[in-house]
């Protein structure tokens, strides 16, 4: 569990650390060297369906999320230098057992897999707890698939708890947004903030640049899409466990809009009628192009922690309490800015020119630049919702005026409607419509308070004519996704606090940071030869099994181990008792699906050696 401590304690730690090093020579050179090998399953199964996330649990086993939804728990033995062998595998189907739906809310029994892209493990060695994110497995839109009727409310967070004899499975949150392309509910971290347990969750956007577009099947952003979300586990635990008609245990279904095309459970469709609650049949499933999207509920357990991310697939909360996310930039030609982009008057109307997508509009243009974003250096004292990442969401920027564009056809805009009037069955509300085929849901809008800055597109590395420029920690090549912090004391502590991020080219990037959280140095190709899309990255601490090792899981079904040259010689960090004991981050599937940029089939070479000369002069940086 990640406990976040007050900032002054971290300053005490840093101060003592610097005092210790003051007595050392002015320049301390350390050699950073890793050997590489593929994890040997030795006949104990495989992860051939593709790894999207992995981390070691409190019981010393490696927990792995496979792309179609199976969770595998690996018991691993080290037989010598960089010789790691799987001795047993436990497979869990708690995620793949989720019943899938189409976008109108009806069940789809033909869909038996789940796009599973985030995993984190907490609890104790005797009773580990797994949290997993998943969504509809189908990928539409993009190059040619159009609208596949996948469930755009299919994002689910599932908790699996070992009770001593078996795994208790419960979906703790249901109804999160899922794009028609592959942007979904992704990476997550378990943290404790001021005594309350939270999950911090990345949720992808429905659009390329904030507006409906052909490549994203003309869907608008939803109230909870394109954001980093917080899930208050303390609040959820007070709600109790329910069981749905399919026998599935769940805790919280996010309330949704009252879809005018769907029957209500109690038969009451007019908000002026006593007993009206707006609950549709099969809620919360079936987003129906936004007509049934999940709402932002004031004081509810799910809130927007930081808005404005096109497709933030992973995040890391560092031991110092900083929060970083990896975000995939907009694709040129895949969709542009919202109508009236630049502030709080944006709308969800569709502009066939898709301005900003292929040519400049208003002095700026969509650019395909992925980046690392620092949200806060102090999550403990961060004001939720206060940092904007730069990807527009008209519904949050302009709740009462954004409207909703719906396009029912698989391809094209035949039958599409830009809805601006609220549906009222008896027409008693001024300005309403009695036609459900053109009306907004009766309980529109899904967001209670406008945040006008979310109407401004801010591209990394591009000047913004409408307001502040975007301020990424760094930009890097496309399809950089999974991320974790290196906290082990190997190499005399030279890598402690560095961030390591996986790239779809089969390499790992290293991010060295200044004390204020800004970039000191980026090594774009720190470790390589992985032989696949490195989605899952986890770094083992001094207190984990195999301390100092780095583990990468690939979409083409491999787990690669990087062992430090000084394996076994690491020592606990100075004043370790005052440094928060934090879990590692989790990792998620990458933007490669967007760009048709598939993994490398090269199997890699075992026992490669990577060496970096590092100057660790404490007076520098």
């Amino acid at each position: 569990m990640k406990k976040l401590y007050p900032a002054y304690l971290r300053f005490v730690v840093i101060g003592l650390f610097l005092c210790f090093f003051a007595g050392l020579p002015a320049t301390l050179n350390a050699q950073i060297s890793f050997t590489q090998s593929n994890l040997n399953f030795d006949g104990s199964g495989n992860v051939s369906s593709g790894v999207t996330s992995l981390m070691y649990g409190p019981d010393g086993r490696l927990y792995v999320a496979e792309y179609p939804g199976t969770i595998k728990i690996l018991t691993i033995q080290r037989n010598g230098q960089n010789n790691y062998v799987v001795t047993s595998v436990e497979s869990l189907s708690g995620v793949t057992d989720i019943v899938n739906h189409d976008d109108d809310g009806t069940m789809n029994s033909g869909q038996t897999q789940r796009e599973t892209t985030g995993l984190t493990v907490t609890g104790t060695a005797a009773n580990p707890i797994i949290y997993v994110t998943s969504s509809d497995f189908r990928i539409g839109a993009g190059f040619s698939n159009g609208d596949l009727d996948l469930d755009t409310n299919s994002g689910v967070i599932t908790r699996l708890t070992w009770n001593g004899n078996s795994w208790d499975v419960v979906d703790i949150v249901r109804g999160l947004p899922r794009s028609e392309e592959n942007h979904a509910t992704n990476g997550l971290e378990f943290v404790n903030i001021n005594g309350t347990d939270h999950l911090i969750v990345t949720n992808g956007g429905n659009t390329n640049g904030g507006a409906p577009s052909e490549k994203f099947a003309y869907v608008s952003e939803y109230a909870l899409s394109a954001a980093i979300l917080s899930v208050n586990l303390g609040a959820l635990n007070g709600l109790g466990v329910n069981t749905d008609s399919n026998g599935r245990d769940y805790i919280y279904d996010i309330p949704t809009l009252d879809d005018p095309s769907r029957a209500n459970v109690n038969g009451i469709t007019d908000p002026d009628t006593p007993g009206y609650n707006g609950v549709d049949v099969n809620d919360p499933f079936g987003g129906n192009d936004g007509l049934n999207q999940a709402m932002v509920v004031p004081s509810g357990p799910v809130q927007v922690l930081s808005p404005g991310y096109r497709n933030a697939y992973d995040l890391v909360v560092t031991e110092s309490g900083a929060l970083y996310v990896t975000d995939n930039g907009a694709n040129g030609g895949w969709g542009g800015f919202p109508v009236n982009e630049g502030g709080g008057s944006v709308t969800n109307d569709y502009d066939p020119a898709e301005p900003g997508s292929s040519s400049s509009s208003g002095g700026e243009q969509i650019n395909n630049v992925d980046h690392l974003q620092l949200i806060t250096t102090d999550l403990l004292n961060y004001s939720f919702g206060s940092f904007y990442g730069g990807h527009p969401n008209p519904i949050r920027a302009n709740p009462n005026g954004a409207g909703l564009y719906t396009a029912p056809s698989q391809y094209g805009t035949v039958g599409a409607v830009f809805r601006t009037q609220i549906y009222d069955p008896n027409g008693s509300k001024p300005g309403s419509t009695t036609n459900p085929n053109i009306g907004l849901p009766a309980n529109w809008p899904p967001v209670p308070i406008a945040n006008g800055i979310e109407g401004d597109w801010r591209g990394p590395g591009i000047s913004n004519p409408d307001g502040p420029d975007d301020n990424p920690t760094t930009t890097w090549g496309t399809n950089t996704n999974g991320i974790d912090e290196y906290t082990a004391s190997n190499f005399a502590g030279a890598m402690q606090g560095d961030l390591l991020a996986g790239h779809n080219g089969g390499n790992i990037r290293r991010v060295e940071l200044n004390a204020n959280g800004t970039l000191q140095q980026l090594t774009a190709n720190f470790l390589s030869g992985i032989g696949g899309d490195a989605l899952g990255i986890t770094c083992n601490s001094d207190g984990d099994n195999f301390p100092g090792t780095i583990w990468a899981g690939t979409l083409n079904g491999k787990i690669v181990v990087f062992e430090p040259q000084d394996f076994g010689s690491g020592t606990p960090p100075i004043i370790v008792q005052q440094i928060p004991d934090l879990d590692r981050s989790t990792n998620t599937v990458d933007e490669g699906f967007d760009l048709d940029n598939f993994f490398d089939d090269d199997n890699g070479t075992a026992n490669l050696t990577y060496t970096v000369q590092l100057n660790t002069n404490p007076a520098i940086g």
Side-chain angles (χ1 to χ4, degrees):
M1 180 178 72
K2 291 195 173 177
K3 276 186 181 176
L4 303 183
Y5 285 73
Y8 74 85
L9 282 182
R10 295 196 294 277
F11 293 146
V12 170
V13 172
I14 293 170
L16 291 174
F17 183 82
L18 293 177
C19 287
F20 173 85
F21 275 103
L24 296 181
T27 300
L28 175 65
N29 287 314
Q31 178 174 282
I32 296 177
S33 178
F34 291 86
T35 58
Q36 172 193 337
S37 67
N38 291 341
L39 178 62
N40 181 3
F41 279 83
D42 195 31
S44 298
N46 57 61
V47 286
S48 60
S49 295
V51 177
T52 56
S53 180
L54 77 172
M55 74 173 289
Y56 273 86
D59 56 355
R61 296 190 293 172
L62 181 62
Y63 289 72
V64 180
E66 286 193 304
Y67 177 47
T70 301
I71 306 303
K72 292 184 176 177
I73 311 173
L74 313 182
T75 301
I76 297 171
Q77 177 177 298
R78 182 180 186 270
N79 291 335
Q81 182 180 9
N82 216 337
N83 182 357
Y84 294 86
V85 179
V86 176
T87 59
S88 67
V89 178
E90 182 179 1
S91 295
L92 308 181
S93 62
V95 175
T96 56
D97 291 340
I98 295 173
V99 176
N100 288 289
H101 297 75
D102 287 333
D103 208 31
D104 62 357
T106 58
M107 286 190 296
N108 187 326
S109 58
Q111 293 295 321
T112 58
Q113 297 176 310
R114 299 281 294 176
E115 180 175 277
T116 302
T117 51
L119 171 149
T120 195
V121 189
T122 183
T124 65
N127 299 104
I129 302 171
I130 315 168
Y131 292 95
V132 183
T133 61
S134 69
S135 61
D136 196 312
F137 192 74
R138 290 169 284 183
I139 298 176
F143 290 95
S144 61
N145 292 331
D147 188 336
L148 294 185
D149 200 30
L150 61 84
D151 182 2
T152 56
N153 275 10
S154 59
V156 174
I157 303 174
T158 303
R159 184 182 69 204
L160 303 93
T161 306
W162 180 249
N163 62 23
N165 296 298
S166 61
W167 291 96
D168 293 330
V169 180
V170 59
D171 297 327
I172 62 170
V173 175
R174 307 195 300 186
L176 291 165
R178 163 71 158 85
S179 79
E180 287 282 358
E181 219 262 338
N182 74 321
H183 301 183
T185 308
N186 295 308
L188 71 169
E189 284 253 24
F190 181 94
V191 298
N192 184 281
I193 304 174
N194 295 319
T196 300
D197 291 339
H198 287 78
L199 291 176
I200 310 300
V201 184
T202 60
N203 211 103
N206 290 345
T207 72
N208 190 53
S213 68
E214 177 187 5
K215 295 293 187 182
F216 282 81
Y218 305 101
V219 175
S220 303
E221 293 294 353
Y222 289 5
L224 290 170
S225 66
I228 310 302
L229 306 176
S230 67
V231 178
N232 187 319
L233 295 176
L236 287 181
N237 291 337
L239 297 179
V241 177
N242 308 287
T243 303
D244 67 17
S245 59
N246 295 307
R248 183 80 182 183
D249 288 343
Y250 71 98
I251 293 179
Y252 182 62
D253 285 347
I254 308 175
T256 68
L257 290 173
D258 182 3
D259 187 343
S261 69
R262 188 184 302 184
N264 286 20
V265 171
N266 64 5
I268 301 174
T269 59
D270 192 334
D272 297 327
T273 301
Y276 171 83
N277 59 19
V279 178
D280 297 317
V281 174
N282 288 332
D283 272 353
F285 301 108
N288 199 13
D289 290 344
L291 292 172
N292 194 51
Q293 66 183 272
M295 299 186 290
V296 174
V297 179
S299 301
V302 179
Q303 296 295 322
V304 174
L305 183 142
S306 178
Y309 300 87
R310 176 182 177 272
N311 197 18
Y313 277 130
D314 202 10
L315 75 164
V316 58
V317 178
T318 69
E319 287 196 331
S320 67
L323 173 58
Y324 292 86
V325 301
T326 60
D327 195 16
N328 288 274
N331 302 337
W334 279 48
F337 310 135
V339 172
N340 297 332
E341 181 271 333
S345 62
V346 290
T347 78
N348 282 317
D349 197 5
Y350 175 60
D351 184 340
E354 300 190 7
S357 179
S358 299
S359 59
S360 178
S361 176
E364 54 190 342
Q365 182 179 340
I366 292 291
N367 65 328
N368 185 16
V369 176
D370 293 6
H371 58 284
L372 176 68
Q373 184 68 65
L374 169 64
I375 292 177
T376 177
T377 57
D378 186 7
L379 186 56
L380 185 73
N381 294 298
Y382 170 74
S383 178
F384 282 16
S386 61
F387 184 87
Y388 173 53
H391 177 88
N393 186 317
I395 285 178
R396 291 199 296 260
N398 184 19
N400 292 304
L404 186 68
Y405 188 83
T406 57
S409 300
Q410 180 177 359
Y411 300 104
T413 58
V414 175
V417 177
F418 178 47
R419 301 168 184 251
T420 59
Q421 294 177 296
I422 294 176
Y423 170 62
D424 185 14
N426 63 13
S428 62
K429 183 177 296 185
S432 66
T433 177
T434 58
N435 185 353
N437 297 315
I438 64 170
L440 294 165
N443 54 350
W444 183 273
V447 178
I449 300 174
N451 183 21
I453 65 171
E454 293 194 59
D456 181 21
W457 186 83
R458 299 174 183 176
I462 292 179
S463 177
N464 177 27
D466 304 307
D469 291 343
D470 192 40
N471 61 340
T473 303
T474 188
T475 58
W476 44 30
T478 55
N479 303 311
T480 302
N481 301 282
I483 190 169
D484 199 7
E485 180 186 19
Y486 195 89
T487 61
S489 59
N490 297 78
F491 316 118
M495 286 185 61
Q496 284 181 319
D498 291 354
L499 305 182
L500 300 179
H503 180 244
N504 78 325
N507 57 290
I508 295 176
R509 307 188 190 283
R510 179 187 180 194
V511 180
E512 298 172 72
L513 300 167
N514 295 312
N516 64 358
T518 59
L519 179 69
Q520 181 185 101
Q521 181 174 327
L522 169 66
T523 305
N525 197 31
F526 179 63
L527 300 172
S528 60
I530 294 173
D533 194 344
L535 303 182
I537 301 293
T538 192
C539 304
N540 286 11
S541 71
D542 287 328
D544 289 329
N545 249 4
F546 320 121
T549 54
I550 301 167
W551 300 69
T554 72
L555 188 58
N556 59 333
K558 294 193 302 181
I559 295 176
V560 181
V561 189
F562 293 92
E563 182 177 278
Q565 195 66 41
D566 63 347
F567 180 85
S569 65
T571 57
I574 305 166
I575 53 171
V576 66
Q577 297 303 317
Q578 293 192 37
I579 297 177
D581 180 16
L582 306 184
D583 292 335
R584 307 285 67 80
S585 75
T586 60
N587 317 289
T588 55
V589 72
D590 82 329
E591 188 66 2
F593 294 112
D594 261 0
L595 303 176
D596 200 25
N597 213 351
F598 297 105
F599 50 74
D600 181 359
D601 288 328
D602 178 18
N603 290 323
T605 303
N607 295 320
L608 297 178
T609 300
Y610 302 89
T611 302
V612 179
Q613 288 295 132
L614 179 70
N615 187 317
T616 55
N617 183 348
I620 298 176

